[in-house]
DNA sequence: TTGAAAGCGCTAACAA
DNA sequence: TTGTTAGCGCTTTCAA
């Protein structure tokens, strides 16, 4: 490779290491100062004549010098790098989180190694090992999981670990999660405020903690508003449109029919809408609908567009970034933190 | 932090660097050999007595020694790390690619830095700079882009760069893309083989190269099959269900009506299905539909489930991984490579 | 104000 | 078979 490349400008012969990236030694040699002086100039520290400083900086710019973070890290015993292990294949939920987290850390000059383990413990183990080798400063574990997971490990002594959108069976760990129960409360309270009296809840599989929490929120609002929990108005199934369609059909074939449905996700909500329209019921006039996730592709394409609960995953990711930085700075954080959801009102529940 | 942690087992005092991670020096000291010997034992090289080798390995395991990749990289002048810059916010298309790429590289013990630039040149520049500092061995640029992008740069001398699902105005670069034209040919040929004679094409905005290529494929099949290009049967709009619904309505209000529609993506296809069903047309009996992307959420929820073209993005990502490895090994690769799509037949076009 | 040198953790060439 | 040492690129202390 080196042979076929054109010679570097000005006849200088850079180091061959790392694709010929110039080192501080090169800078020092060309600027005709010592390495120590060059370092001082480049790091804007210490006492140095303006002249020397300028000369060094000019040379550095000219030859395209970029300090080698590997060497810096080695010296500082900090890699300024973190690892993320995902078990969701970086899916729909993990993405916004990771994106915001990466953005937050990039602001501080930290970089992110991303690893996908897809729920395979062996791969998780292998990735973790690799990350430890890279001497990451912190580890973030994320996943779309039904329930608590086994804590990751064993890890380096004192390595900060944060579980986001995921929760570990470890009292010393920090978990960041959306407040599913609060989100459900927002949704159902909204429907109740609309004057709806017969509110049904169609949701996903109960082995998801989120399903249980949202149901809890649903029930608490009913109780508080003095609304009845009607037999057959709670339906647990799967996270699909097909289930939403089926569940809606079931609801409207019973002795009592709802005037509002709170759905466990947007796909279910959209399915429900389709069935209602086919039955000839008007949304929201006859039945108001609220979904969960605020997934643009679903809520906007549904007819009518869906009111939904937004889990504010980007905010969650950003906060995870903040926590990572705090923990790297030495603070010990632990416990489960649940962050508020928000209600986004659209036509499916417009008053 | 160090004070509050329990003392390490067996009263040993590990180094304080990198959170107290043991070094090869620790291993050597405890195993009572020289550092060189320890290194030889750990790297399974050189001549060494089995006894010494075993002793070193045992100690290493006991104290949880993991070589410091930073130091290794510094020495080897190879970071065994690559960077990915995405401009798609790691969206629906980028994800499977990145996932497969990461998986492929992880097999070779390489790690991946992920950076999201969301089409902001300043952030892209900043990320690139950071990655160069990390001395990545190669760079992958990915995006959901309408058209060719400006080549990334300036970069380190000789750094391999690969554009995936993205294309740069740089003849020396390697681009990996799905074969949009070929995918369209698959779709339309399938419809023609079903005996359909009046095939329409509803698609996205023409400033997407993919739209132009797919139209080209569509036309070539029509020409080859001796089918007419009927006035008003090509409709370019946006990538949404709403446009699919509208376009279908338009198609069926004209003087001539199609017996098949090839859609530029699955959302358009799904929208078209909805309109057809409302008009009272049977799919595929009256009108056969084929989508593009094979996006599970769409194709499975549509009624009927959609036949679609799969861009095989995971394969693309894996191949990108292979290319990265080749280029790191020194091979120069360049040019635009388009990889085949495949046809996935479902009810919307079942014979 | 500038230079010299030690050391971060590791590998590899050479010496013993 | 094992030990010693130089050096990867950088920062930092100490000396000049």
């Amino acid at each position: 490779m080196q042979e076929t490349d054109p010679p570097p400008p000005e006849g200088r012969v850079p180091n061959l290491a790392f694709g010929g990236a110039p080192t501080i030694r090169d800078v020092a040699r060309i600027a005709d100062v010592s390495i120590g002086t060059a370092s001082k100039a480049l790091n804007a520290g210490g006492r140095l004549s303006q002249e020397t400083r300028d000369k060094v900086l000019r040379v550095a710019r000219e030859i395209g010098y970029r300090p080698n973070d590997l060497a810096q890290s080695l010296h500082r015993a900090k890699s300024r790098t973190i690892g993320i292990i995902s078990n969701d294949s970086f899916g729909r939920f993990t993405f916004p989180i990771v994106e915001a987290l990466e953005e937050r850390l990039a602001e501080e000059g930290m970089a992110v190694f991303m690893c996908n383990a897809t729920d395979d413990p062996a791969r998780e183990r292998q990735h973790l090992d690799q990350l430890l080798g890279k001497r990451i400063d912190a580890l973030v574990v994320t996943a779309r999981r039904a329930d608590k997971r086994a804590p990751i490990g064993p890890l380096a002594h004192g390595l900060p670990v944060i579980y986001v959108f995921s929760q570990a069976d470890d009292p010393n760990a920090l978990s960041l999660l959306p407040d599913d129960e609060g989100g459900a409360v927002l949704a159902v309270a909204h429907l109740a405020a609309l004057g709806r009296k017969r509110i049904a809840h169609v949701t996903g599989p109960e082995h998801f903690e989120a399903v249980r929490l949202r149901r809890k929120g649903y029930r608490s609002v009913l109780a508080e508003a003095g609304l009845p929990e009607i037999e057959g108005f709670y339906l647990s199934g799967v996270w699909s449109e097909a289930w939403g369609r089926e569940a809606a059909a079931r609801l409207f074939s019973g002795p009592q029919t709802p005037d509002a449905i709170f759905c466990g996700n947007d796909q279910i909500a959209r399915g429900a809408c389709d069935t209602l329209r086919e039955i000839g019921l008007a949304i929201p006039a006859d039945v108001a609908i609220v979904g969960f996730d605020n997934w643009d592709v679903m809520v906007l394409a549904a007819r009518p567009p869906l009111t939904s609960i937004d889990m504010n995953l980007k905010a969650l990711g950003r906060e995870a970034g903040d926590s990572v930085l705090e923990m790297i700075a030495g603070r010990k954080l632990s416990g489960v933190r649940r962050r508020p959801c928000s209600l986004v009102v659209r036509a499916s529940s417009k008053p």
Side-chain angles (χ1 to χ4, degrees), chain A residues 96-259:
Chain A
I97 295 175
V98 170
E99 190 187 339
L101 177 59
E102 192 264 342
E103 183 181 321
R104 178 71 189 89
L105 292 180
E107 287 171 9
E108 309 293 324
M110 306 205 44
V112 175
F113 280 118
M114 287 210 185
C115 307
N116 175 30
T118 34
D119 275 321
D120 174 350
R123 288 186 60 193
E124 185 173 289
R125 181 66 235 171
Q126 189 187 334
H127 273 129
L128 177 61
D129 190 53
Q130 198 184 111
L131 291 173
L132 293 178
K134 303 270 182 216
R135 296 300 188 261
I136 51 170
D137 294 334
L139 177 66
V140 174
V141 181
T142 176
R144 174 53 161 175
R145 284 193 65 85
D147 242 308
K148 284 196 179 68
R149 52 161 288 152
I152 203 163
L155 8 79
H157 197 59
L159 178 71
V161 184
I162 298 184
Y163 297 84
V164 191
F165 211 68
S166 167
Q167 205 178 342
D169 242 337
D170 174 358
N172 294 319
L174 174 65
S175 285
L176 245 44
L177 293 159
D179 180 5
D180 288 290
E181 184 176 345
V185 167
L186 279 177
V188 183
H190 167 65
L191 292 170
L194 253 40
R196 307 296 162 135
K197 304 288 182 204
R198 304 184 313 281
I199 305 175
H201 183 29
V202 179
T203 187
E206 287 184 348
H207 64 269
F208 276 82
E209 191 194 25
V211 165
R212 303 193 297 271
L213 289 170
R214 291 172 194 174
R215 179 182 55 189
K216 194 169 161 215
Y218 160 73
R219 285 183 171 161
S220 72
V221 174
L222 293 191
E224 199 162 322
L227 297 174
E229 271 200 60
I230 298 169
E231 173 79 22
F233 268 31
Y234 169 77
L235 294 171
S236 160
V238 297
W239 295 120
S240 75
E241 289 189 51
W243 164 238
R245 293 194 290 259
E246 182 192 326
R250 225 186 272 179
L251 281 173
F252 286 89
S253 64
Q256 299 217 54
T257 60
D259 56 8

Side-chain angles (χ1 to χ4, degrees), chain A residues 3 21 26 36 54 57 64 76 97 107 123 195 267 329 334 340 347:
Chain A
E3 299 78 14
D26 298 318
D54 288 347
L57 292 177
R76 304 207 169 126
I97 295 175
E107 287 171 9
R123 288 186 60 193
Q267 286 160 276
S334 63

